[in-house]
Amino acid sequence: MLTFYFYRREDVKRIPEALAAGCGADALGIFAAWLSRQVPMHAFAMLGKRYDVGDVESDREVCKVFWVTSSSESMNP
């Protein structure tokens, strides 16, 4: 499962507080878990496929999926 986190500006400002309280800094979900004990949080399932574009090669693979004309492929470096 791929997870996305969207935080409000005022919640992001609490990162130093979370770290001072012992919240680990090495995994994204740890801050979300800590924050959920501090403020109300909401979650929803995002249906459909998502693509992780973490490097040039994965970007090219995603472009193959979405670019359907040869003219648009010429825009891909």
Side-chain angles (χ1 to χ4, degrees):
M1 176 195 300
L2 186 58
T3 306
F4 292 94
Y5 298 96
F6 295 94
Y7 297 109
R8 299 176 305 168
R9 183 174 308 201
E10 58 266 26
D11 294 332
V12 171
K13 291 178 182 178
R14 297 185 74 171
I15 291 174
E17 178 187 350
L19 293 172
C23 183
D26 61 343
L28 296 174
I30 294 175
F31 178 65
W34 177 86
L35 189 62
S36 71
R37 293 186 297 274
Q38 312 302 315
V39 299
M41 291 184 66
H42 306 279
F44 63 94
M46 295 174 59
L47 303 177
K49 187 167 175 112
R50 279 163 252 358
Y51 300 90
D52 181 6
V53 181
D55 57 33
V56 173
E57 187 56 37
S58 60
D59 177 61
R60 288 187 178 127
E61 292 302 314
V62 171
C63 286
K64 289 177 188 176
V65 172
F66 288 101
W67 292 9
V68 295
T69 65
S70 60
S71 62
S72 60
E73 286 178 4
S74 66
M75 290 187 260
N76 190 12

Short mmCIF file of all heavy atoms in Angstrom, two decimals, residues 1-61:
data_model
loop_
_atom_site.label_atom_id
_atom_site.label_comp_id
_atom_site.label_asym_id
_atom_site.label_seq_id
_atom_site.Cartn_x
_atom_site.Cartn_y
_atom_site.Cartn_z
N MET A 1 0.84 -1.17 0.00
CA MET A 1 0.00 0.00 0.00
C MET A 1 0.89 1.24 0.00
O MET A 1 1.85 1.33 0.74
CB MET A 1 -0.91 0.02 1.23
CG MET A 1 -1.72 1.29 1.30
SD MET A 1 -2.51 1.66 2.88
CE MET A 1 -3.56 0.28 3.12
N LEU A 2 0.56 2.18 -0.84
CA LEU A 2 1.27 3.44 -0.92
C LEU A 2 0.48 4.47 -0.12
O LEU A 2 -0.73 4.59 -0.26
CB LEU A 2 1.39 3.88 -2.37
CG LEU A 2 2.22 5.11 -2.67
CD1 LEU A 2 3.64 4.93 -2.17
CD2 LEU A 2 2.23 5.36 -4.16
N THR A 3 1.15 5.20 0.74
CA THR A 3 0.47 6.16 1.61
C THR A 3 0.92 7.57 1.28
O THR A 3 2.11 7.82 1.09
CB THR A 3 0.81 5.85 3.09
OG1 THR A 3 0.50 4.49 3.34
CG2 THR A 3 0.03 6.73 4.01
N PHE A 4 -0.04 8.48 1.23
CA PHE A 4 0.23 9.90 1.05
C PHE A 4 -0.17 10.62 2.33
O PHE A 4 -1.20 10.30 2.92
CB PHE A 4 -0.61 10.48 -0.10
CG PHE A 4 -0.22 9.97 -1.45
CD1 PHE A 4 -0.87 8.88 -2.00
CD2 PHE A 4 0.78 10.58 -2.18
CE1 PHE A 4 -0.53 8.40 -3.24
CE2 PHE A 4 1.13 10.11 -3.42
CZ PHE A 4 0.47 9.02 -3.96
N TYR A 5 0.60 11.60 2.72
CA TYR A 5 0.26 12.40 3.88
C TYR A 5 0.12 13.85 3.45
O TYR A 5 0.97 14.38 2.75
CB TYR A 5 1.35 12.32 4.95
CG TYR A 5 1.57 10.93 5.48
CD1 TYR A 5 2.57 10.11 4.98
CD2 TYR A 5 0.76 10.43 6.49
CE1 TYR A 5 2.77 8.84 5.47
CE2 TYR A 5 0.95 9.15 6.99
CZ TYR A 5 1.95 8.37 6.46
OH TYR A 5 2.14 7.10 6.95
N PHE A 6 -0.97 14.47 3.86
CA PHE A 6 -1.18 15.89 3.64
C PHE A 6 -1.34 16.53 5.01
O PHE A 6 -2.24 16.15 5.77
CB PHE A 6 -2.44 16.14 2.79
CG PHE A 6 -2.33 15.61 1.41
CD1 PHE A 6 -2.80 14.35 1.09
CD2 PHE A 6 -1.74 16.37 0.41
CE1 PHE A 6 -2.69 13.85 -0.19
CE2 PHE A 6 -1.62 15.87 -0.88
CZ PHE A 6 -2.10 14.61 -1.17
N TYR A 7 -0.50 17.48 5.32
CA TYR A 7 -0.55 18.12 6.62
C TYR A 7 -0.91 19.59 6.48
O TYR A 7 -0.50 20.25 5.53
CB TYR A 7 0.82 18.02 7.32
CG TYR A 7 1.25 16.62 7.62
CD1 TYR A 7 2.29 16.02 6.93
CD2 TYR A 7 0.61 15.88 8.61
CE1 TYR A 7 2.69 14.73 7.21
CE2 TYR A 7 1.00 14.59 8.90
CZ TYR A 7 2.04 14.02 8.20
OH TYR A 7 2.43 12.74 8.48
N ARG A 8 -1.61 20.08 7.47
CA ARG A 8 -1.89 21.52 7.52
C ARG A 8 -0.61 22.23 7.96
O ARG A 8 0.24 21.65 8.63
CB ARG A 8 -3.01 21.81 8.52
CG ARG A 8 -4.33 21.13 8.16
CD ARG A 8 -5.38 21.35 9.20
NE ARG A 8 -4.86 20.92 10.52
CZ ARG A 8 -5.45 21.19 11.65
NH1 ARG A 8 -6.58 21.88 11.69
NH2 ARG A 8 -4.94 20.77 12.80
N ARG A 9 -0.49 23.47 7.57
CA ARG A 9 0.70 24.26 7.90
C ARG A 9 0.95 24.27 9.41
O ARG A 9 2.08 24.12 9.86
CB ARG A 9 0.52 25.69 7.39
CG ARG A 9 1.72 26.57 7.60
CD ARG A 9 1.51 27.89 6.96
NE ARG A 9 1.13 27.60 5.59
CZ ARG A 9 1.22 28.42 4.58
NH1 ARG A 9 1.66 29.62 4.76
NH2 ARG A 9 0.86 28.07 3.36
N GLU A 10 -0.13 24.45 10.18
CA GLU A 10 0.06 24.51 11.63
C GLU A 10 0.52 23.17 12.21
O GLU A 10 1.19 23.13 13.23
CB GLU A 10 -1.21 25.00 12.34
CG GLU A 10 -2.43 24.16 12.08
CD GLU A 10 -3.30 24.66 10.93
OE1 GLU A 10 -2.80 25.34 10.02
OE2 GLU A 10 -4.50 24.35 10.97
N ASP A 11 0.18 22.08 11.55
CA ASP A 11 0.64 20.77 12.02
C ASP A 11 2.11 20.54 11.67
O ASP A 11 2.85 19.96 12.47
CB ASP A 11 -0.23 19.66 11.45
CG ASP A 11 -1.66 19.72 11.98
OD1 ASP A 11 -1.87 20.22 13.10
OD2 ASP A 11 -2.58 19.29 11.25
N VAL A 12 2.52 20.98 10.51
CA VAL A 12 3.93 20.84 10.11
C VAL A 12 4.83 21.60 11.08
O VAL A 12 5.93 21.15 11.42
CB VAL A 12 4.14 21.32 8.66
CG1 VAL A 12 5.62 21.40 8.30
CG2 VAL A 12 3.40 20.41 7.69
N LYS A 13 4.34 22.71 11.57
CA LYS A 13 5.12 23.50 12.53
C LYS A 13 5.34 22.75 13.84
O LYS A 13 6.19 23.14 14.64
CB LYS A 13 4.42 24.83 12.81
CG LYS A 13 4.44 25.76 11.63
CD LYS A 13 3.68 27.04 11.94
CE LYS A 13 3.67 27.95 10.73
NZ LYS A 13 2.90 29.18 10.97
N ARG A 14 4.63 21.66 14.05
CA ARG A 14 4.77 20.87 15.28
C ARG A 14 5.84 19.79 15.18
O ARG A 14 6.06 19.03 16.13
CB ARG A 14 3.43 20.24 15.64
CG ARG A 14 2.36 21.31 15.94
CD ARG A 14 1.10 20.72 16.41
NE ARG A 14 1.31 20.26 17.80
CZ ARG A 14 0.33 19.83 18.58
NH1 ARG A 14 -0.91 19.78 18.13
NH2 ARG A 14 0.57 19.44 19.81
N ILE A 15 6.52 19.70 14.05
CA ILE A 15 7.56 18.68 13.90
C ILE A 15 8.63 18.79 14.98
O ILE A 15 9.00 17.78 15.58
CB ILE A 15 8.16 18.71 12.47
CG1 ILE A 15 7.10 18.22 11.47
CG2 ILE A 15 9.44 17.87 12.39
CD1 ILE A 15 7.51 18.32 10.02
N PRO A 16 9.15 20.00 15.29
CA PRO A 16 10.14 20.07 16.38
C PRO A 16 9.58 19.56 17.72
O PRO A 16 10.28 18.88 18.48
CB PRO A 16 10.48 21.56 16.46
CG PRO A 16 10.20 22.08 15.09
CD PRO A 16 9.00 21.29 14.63
N GLU A 17 8.32 19.84 17.98
CA GLU A 17 7.67 19.35 19.20
C GLU A 17 7.62 17.82 19.20
O GLU A 17 7.89 17.17 20.21
CB GLU A 17 6.25 19.92 19.29
CG GLU A 17 5.46 19.44 20.48
CD GLU A 17 4.01 19.90 20.44
OE1 GLU A 17 3.63 20.75 19.60
OE2 GLU A 17 3.24 19.39 21.27
N ALA A 18 7.28 17.25 18.06
CA ALA A 18 7.21 15.79 17.94
C ALA A 18 8.58 15.17 18.16
O ALA A 18 8.71 14.16 18.87
CB ALA A 18 6.65 15.40 16.57
N LEU A 19 9.61 15.76 17.58
CA LEU A 19 10.97 15.23 17.75
C LEU A 19 11.40 15.32 19.20
O LEU A 19 11.99 14.38 19.75
CB LEU A 19 11.94 15.98 16.85
CG LEU A 19 11.75 15.75 15.35
CD1 LEU A 19 12.63 16.70 14.55
CD2 LEU A 19 12.00 14.31 14.97
N ALA A 20 11.07 16.44 19.85
CA ALA A 20 11.43 16.61 21.26
C ALA A 20 10.68 15.60 22.15
O ALA A 20 11.19 15.21 23.21
CB ALA A 20 11.12 18.04 21.71
N ALA A 21 9.51 15.18 21.70
CA ALA A 21 8.72 14.21 22.47
C ALA A 21 9.15 12.77 22.20
O ALA A 21 8.54 11.83 22.70
CB ALA A 21 7.24 14.39 22.14
N GLY A 22 10.19 12.60 21.37
CA GLY A 22 10.70 11.26 21.10
C GLY A 22 10.20 10.63 19.82
O GLY A 22 10.47 9.47 19.54
N CYS A 23 9.49 11.39 19.04
CA CYS A 23 9.00 10.90 17.75
C CYS A 23 10.21 10.67 16.84
O CYS A 23 11.03 11.57 16.66
CB CYS A 23 8.04 11.94 17.15
SG CYS A 23 7.29 11.44 15.60
N GLY A 24 10.32 9.50 16.28
CA GLY A 24 11.45 9.20 15.41
C GLY A 24 11.40 10.00 14.12
O GLY A 24 10.34 10.42 13.67
N ALA A 25 12.56 10.22 13.54
CA ALA A 25 12.65 11.02 12.32
C ALA A 25 12.96 10.17 11.09
O ALA A 25 13.18 10.71 10.02
CB ALA A 25 13.74 12.08 12.49
N ASP A 26 12.94 8.85 11.22
CA ASP A 26 13.40 8.01 10.12
C ASP A 26 12.29 7.33 9.33
O ASP A 26 12.56 6.60 8.40
CB ASP A 26 14.40 6.98 10.63
CG ASP A 26 13.79 6.05 11.67
OD1 ASP A 26 12.73 6.39 12.21
OD2 ASP A 26 14.37 4.99 11.93
N ALA A 27 11.03 7.56 9.69
CA ALA A 27 9.92 6.96 8.94
C ALA A 27 8.76 7.94 8.91
O ALA A 27 8.38 8.50 9.95
CB ALA A 27 9.49 5.64 9.57
N LEU A 28 8.20 8.15 7.74
CA LEU A 28 7.14 9.15 7.58
C LEU A 28 5.92 8.90 8.44
O LEU A 28 5.32 9.81 8.97
CB LEU A 28 6.73 9.22 6.11
CG LEU A 28 7.79 9.69 5.14
CD1 LEU A 28 7.30 9.57 3.72
CD2 LEU A 28 8.20 11.11 5.45
N GLY A 29 5.53 7.67 8.61
CA GLY A 29 4.32 7.35 9.35
C GLY A 29 4.40 7.63 10.83
O GLY A 29 3.39 7.73 11.52
N ILE A 30 5.62 7.76 11.36
CA ILE A 30 5.77 7.99 12.80
C ILE A 30 5.21 9.35 13.19
O ILE A 30 4.54 9.49 14.20
CB ILE A 30 7.25 7.82 13.21
CG1 ILE A 30 7.66 6.37 13.03
CG2 ILE A 30 7.47 8.27 14.65
CD1 ILE A 30 9.13 6.10 13.28
N PHE A 31 5.48 10.37 12.39
CA PHE A 31 4.92 11.70 12.69
C PHE A 31 3.40 11.67 12.60
O PHE A 31 2.72 12.23 13.45
CB PHE A 31 5.49 12.77 11.75
CG PHE A 31 4.91 14.14 11.99
CD1 PHE A 31 5.14 14.81 13.19
CD2 PHE A 31 4.12 14.74 11.03
CE1 PHE A 31 4.59 16.07 13.42
CE2 PHE A 31 3.57 15.99 11.25
CZ PHE A 31 3.81 16.67 12.44
N ALA A 32 2.86 10.99 11.61
CA ALA A 32 1.40 10.89 11.48
C ALA A 32 0.80 10.22 12.71
O ALA A 32 -0.23 10.66 13.22
CB ALA A 32 1.03 10.13 10.21
N ALA A 33 1.43 9.17 13.19
CA ALA A 33 0.93 8.48 14.38
C ALA A 33 0.98 9.39 15.59
O ALA A 33 0.02 9.47 16.37
CB ALA A 33 1.74 7.20 14.62
N TRP A 34 2.09 10.11 15.77
CA TRP A 34 2.21 11.04 16.88
C TRP A 34 1.16 12.14 16.78
O TRP A 34 0.47 12.44 17.75
CB TRP A 34 3.62 11.65 16.92
CG TRP A 34 3.79 12.67 18.01
CD1 TRP A 34 4.14 12.42 19.30
CD2 TRP A 34 3.59 14.07 17.89
NE1 TRP A 34 4.18 13.60 20.00
CE2 TRP A 34 3.85 14.64 19.16
CE3 TRP A 34 3.24 14.92 16.85
CZ2 TRP A 34 3.75 15.99 19.41
CZ3 TRP A 34 3.13 16.28 17.09
CH2 TRP A 34 3.39 16.81 18.36
N LEU A 35 1.03 12.72 15.61
CA LEU A 35 0.10 13.83 15.41
C LEU A 35 -1.34 13.39 15.64
O LEU A 35 -2.16 14.16 16.17
CB LEU A 35 0.26 14.41 14.00
CG LEU A 35 -0.50 15.70 13.71
CD1 LEU A 35 -0.02 16.83 14.62
CD2 LEU A 35 -0.35 16.08 12.25
N SER A 36 -1.66 12.15 15.30
CA SER A 36 -3.03 11.66 15.48
C SER A 36 -3.43 11.61 16.95
O SER A 36 -4.62 11.60 17.27
CB SER A 36 -3.21 10.29 14.83
OG SER A 36 -2.52 9.30 15.57
N ARG A 37 -2.44 11.58 17.83
CA ARG A 37 -2.73 11.61 19.26
C ARG A 37 -2.81 13.04 19.79
O ARG A 37 -3.16 13.26 20.94
CB ARG A 37 -1.68 10.81 20.03
CG ARG A 37 -1.76 9.32 19.73
CD ARG A 37 -0.82 8.49 20.58
NE ARG A 37 0.59 8.80 20.37
CZ ARG A 37 1.37 8.25 19.42
NH1 ARG A 37 0.85 7.36 18.59
NH2 ARG A 37 2.63 8.58 19.32
N GLN A 38 -2.50 14.02 18.93
CA GLN A 38 -2.50 15.42 19.35
C GLN A 38 -3.71 16.19 18.80
O GLN A 38 -4.24 17.07 19.48
CB GLN A 38 -1.22 16.13 18.86
CG GLN A 38 0.07 15.40 19.14
CD GLN A 38 0.30 15.12 20.61
OE1 GLN A 38 0.11 15.99 21.45
NE2 GLN A 38 0.70 13.90 20.92
N VAL A 39 -4.09 15.91 17.59
CA VAL A 39 -5.16 16.64 16.91
C VAL A 39 -6.04 15.65 16.14
O VAL A 39 -5.58 14.56 15.79
CB VAL A 39 -4.61 17.71 15.93
CG1 VAL A 39 -3.77 18.76 16.65
CG2 VAL A 39 -3.80 17.06 14.82
N PRO A 40 -7.28 16.01 15.86
CA PRO A 40 -8.11 15.13 15.02
C PRO A 40 -7.49 15.00 13.63
O PRO A 40 -7.01 15.98 13.06
CB PRO A 40 -9.45 15.85 14.95
CG PRO A 40 -9.46 16.80 16.10
CD PRO A 40 -8.02 17.18 16.33
N MET A 41 -7.50 13.79 13.11
CA MET A 41 -6.98 13.55 11.76
C MET A 41 -8.01 12.77 10.97
O MET A 41 -8.86 12.09 11.54
CB MET A 41 -5.65 12.79 11.81
CG MET A 41 -4.53 13.61 12.39
SD MET A 41 -2.95 12.75 12.36
CE MET A 41 -2.63 12.60 10.61
N HIS A 42 -7.92 12.86 9.66
CA HIS A 42 -8.84 12.18 8.77
C HIS A 42 -8.04 11.41 7.73
O HIS A 42 -6.95 11.80 7.35
CB HIS A 42 -9.76 13.19 8.08
CG HIS A 42 -10.48 14.07 9.05
ND1 HIS A 42 -11.61 13.66 9.72
CD2 HIS A 42 -10.20 15.31 9.49
CE1 HIS A 42 -12.01 14.62 10.52
NE2 HIS A 42 -11.16 15.64 10.41
N ALA A 43 -8.62 10.33 7.26
CA ALA A 43 -7.97 9.52 6.24
C ALA A 43 -9.01 9.08 5.22
O ALA A 43 -10.20 9.01 5.52
CB ALA A 43 -7.34 8.28 6.87
N PHE A 44 -8.57 8.84 4.00
CA PHE A 44 -9.46 8.31 2.99
C PHE A 44 -8.66 7.46 2.02
O PHE A 44 -7.47 7.65 1.84
CB PHE A 44 -10.23 9.41 2.26
CG PHE A 44 -9.37 10.38 1.49
CD1 PHE A 44 -9.11 10.19 0.15
CD2 PHE A 44 -8.83 11.50 2.12
CE1 PHE A 44 -8.32 11.08 -0.55
CE2 PHE A 44 -8.05 12.40 1.41
CZ PHE A 44 -7.80 12.19 0.08
N ALA A 45 -9.34 6.51 1.42
CA ALA A 45 -8.71 5.63 0.44
C ALA A 45 -8.75 6.29 -0.92
O ALA A 45 -9.78 6.83 -1.33
CB ALA A 45 -9.45 4.30 0.39
N MET A 46 -7.64 6.26 -1.60
CA MET A 46 -7.56 6.80 -2.96
C MET A 46 -7.56 5.61 -3.91
O MET A 46 -6.61 4.83 -3.94
CB MET A 46 -6.29 7.63 -3.13
CG MET A 46 -6.27 8.86 -2.25
SD MET A 46 -4.72 9.77 -2.32
CE MET A 46 -4.60 10.18 -4.05
N LEU A 47 -8.64 5.47 -4.64
CA LEU A 47 -8.77 4.36 -5.56
C LEU A 47 -7.97 4.65 -6.83
O LEU A 47 -7.76 5.79 -7.21
CB LEU A 47 -10.23 4.11 -5.89
CG LEU A 47 -11.12 3.85 -4.67
CD1 LEU A 47 -12.57 3.69 -5.09
CD2 LEU A 47 -10.65 2.61 -3.93
N GLY A 48 -7.55 3.61 -7.48
CA GLY A 48 -6.83 3.75 -8.73
C GLY A 48 -5.35 3.50 -8.57
O GLY A 48 -4.85 3.24 -7.48
N LYS A 49 -4.65 3.60 -9.67
CA LYS A 49 -3.22 3.31 -9.69
C LYS A 49 -2.42 4.59 -9.48
O LYS A 49 -2.80 5.65 -9.93
CB LYS A 49 -2.86 2.68 -11.04
CG LYS A 49 -1.45 2.20 -11.11
CD LYS A 49 -1.24 1.32 -12.31
CE LYS A 49 0.22 0.97 -12.41
NZ LYS A 49 0.50 -0.39 -12.17
N ARG A 50 -1.29 4.46 -8.78
CA ARG A 50 -0.37 5.55 -8.60
C ARG A 50 1.01 5.11 -9.07
O ARG A 50 1.31 3.93 -9.09
CB ARG A 50 -0.31 5.96 -7.13
CG ARG A 50 -1.49 6.87 -6.79
CD ARG A 50 -1.72 6.96 -5.35
NE ARG A 50 -2.79 6.38 -4.59
CZ ARG A 50 -3.85 5.68 -4.93
NH1 ARG A 50 -4.03 5.33 -6.14
NH2 ARG A 50 -4.75 5.29 -4.08
N TYR A 51 1.81 6.08 -9.42
CA TYR A 51 3.14 5.79 -9.94
C TYR A 51 4.19 6.49 -9.08
O TYR A 51 4.07 7.67 -8.79
CB TYR A 51 3.26 6.27 -11.39
CG TYR A 51 2.26 5.60 -12.29
CD1 TYR A 51 1.00 6.14 -12.51
CD2 TYR A 51 2.58 4.40 -12.92
CE1 TYR A 51 0.08 5.51 -13.32
CE2 TYR A 51 1.66 3.76 -13.73
CZ TYR A 51 0.42 4.33 -13.93
OH TYR A 51 -0.50 3.69 -14.74
N ASP A 52 5.20 5.76 -8.69
CA ASP A 52 6.30 6.31 -7.93
C ASP A 52 7.38 6.73 -8.92
O ASP A 52 8.02 5.90 -9.55
CB ASP A 52 6.84 5.26 -6.96
CG ASP A 52 7.98 5.79 -6.11
OD1 ASP A 52 8.28 7.00 -6.16
OD2 ASP A 52 8.56 4.99 -5.36
N VAL A 53 7.56 8.03 -9.08
CA VAL A 53 8.55 8.55 -10.01
C VAL A 53 9.74 9.03 -9.18
O VAL A 53 9.82 10.19 -8.80
CB VAL A 53 7.98 9.69 -10.88
CG1 VAL A 53 9.01 10.20 -11.86
CG2 VAL A 53 6.74 9.21 -11.61
N GLY A 54 10.64 8.11 -8.89
CA GLY A 54 11.76 8.43 -8.03
C GLY A 54 13.07 8.61 -8.75
O GLY A 54 14.05 9.04 -8.17
N ASP A 55 13.10 8.28 -10.03
CA ASP A 55 14.33 8.46 -10.80
C ASP A 55 13.97 8.62 -12.27
O ASP A 55 12.80 8.53 -12.66
CB ASP A 55 15.29 7.29 -10.59
CG ASP A 55 14.67 5.95 -10.95
OD1 ASP A 55 13.85 5.88 -11.88
OD2 ASP A 55 15.03 4.95 -10.30
N VAL A 56 14.97 8.86 -13.10
CA VAL A 56 14.74 9.12 -14.53
C VAL A 56 14.08 7.92 -15.21
O VAL A 56 13.16 8.07 -16.02
CB VAL A 56 16.05 9.51 -15.24
CG1 VAL A 56 15.85 9.61 -16.73
CG2 VAL A 56 16.60 10.80 -14.67
N GLU A 57 14.53 6.73 -14.88
CA GLU A 57 13.98 5.53 -15.53
C GLU A 57 12.51 5.33 -15.20
O GLU A 57 11.69 5.03 -16.08
CB GLU A 57 14.79 4.28 -15.15
CG GLU A 57 14.38 3.06 -15.92
CD GLU A 57 14.46 3.22 -17.44
OE1 GLU A 57 15.38 3.89 -17.94
OE2 GLU A 57 13.56 2.68 -18.14
N SER A 58 12.13 5.51 -13.94
CA SER A 58 10.71 5.35 -13.58
C SER A 58 9.88 6.46 -14.23
O SER A 58 8.73 6.23 -14.62
CB SER A 58 10.52 5.31 -12.07
OG SER A 58 10.99 6.49 -11.47
N ASP A 59 10.45 7.65 -14.38
CA ASP A 59 9.74 8.73 -15.09
C ASP A 59 9.48 8.33 -16.53
O ASP A 59 8.37 8.53 -17.05
CB ASP A 59 10.56 10.02 -15.04
CG ASP A 59 9.92 11.14 -15.82
OD1 ASP A 59 8.78 11.54 -15.46
OD2 ASP A 59 10.53 11.62 -16.80
N ARG A 60 10.44 7.75 -17.18
CA ARG A 60 10.26 7.31 -18.58
C ARG A 60 9.17 6.24 -18.69
O ARG A 60 8.38 6.25 -19.62
CB ARG A 60 11.57 6.81 -19.14
CG ARG A 60 12.55 7.92 -19.40
CD ARG A 60 13.79 7.44 -20.11
NE ARG A 60 14.66 8.58 -20.37
CZ ARG A 60 15.93 8.64 -20.03
NH1 ARG A 60 16.51 7.61 -19.44
NH2 ARG A 60 16.64 9.71 -20.28
N GLU A 61 9.14 5.33 -17.72
CA GLU A 61 8.12 4.28 -17.74
C GLU A 61 6.72 4.88 -17.59
O GLU A 61 5.78 4.47 -18.26
CB GLU A 61 8.39 3.25 -16.65
CG GLU A 61 9.64 2.42 -16.88
CD GLU A 61 9.59 1.66 -18.20
OE1 GLU A 61 8.55 1.05 -18.51
OE2 GLU A 61 10.60 1.70 -18.93
#
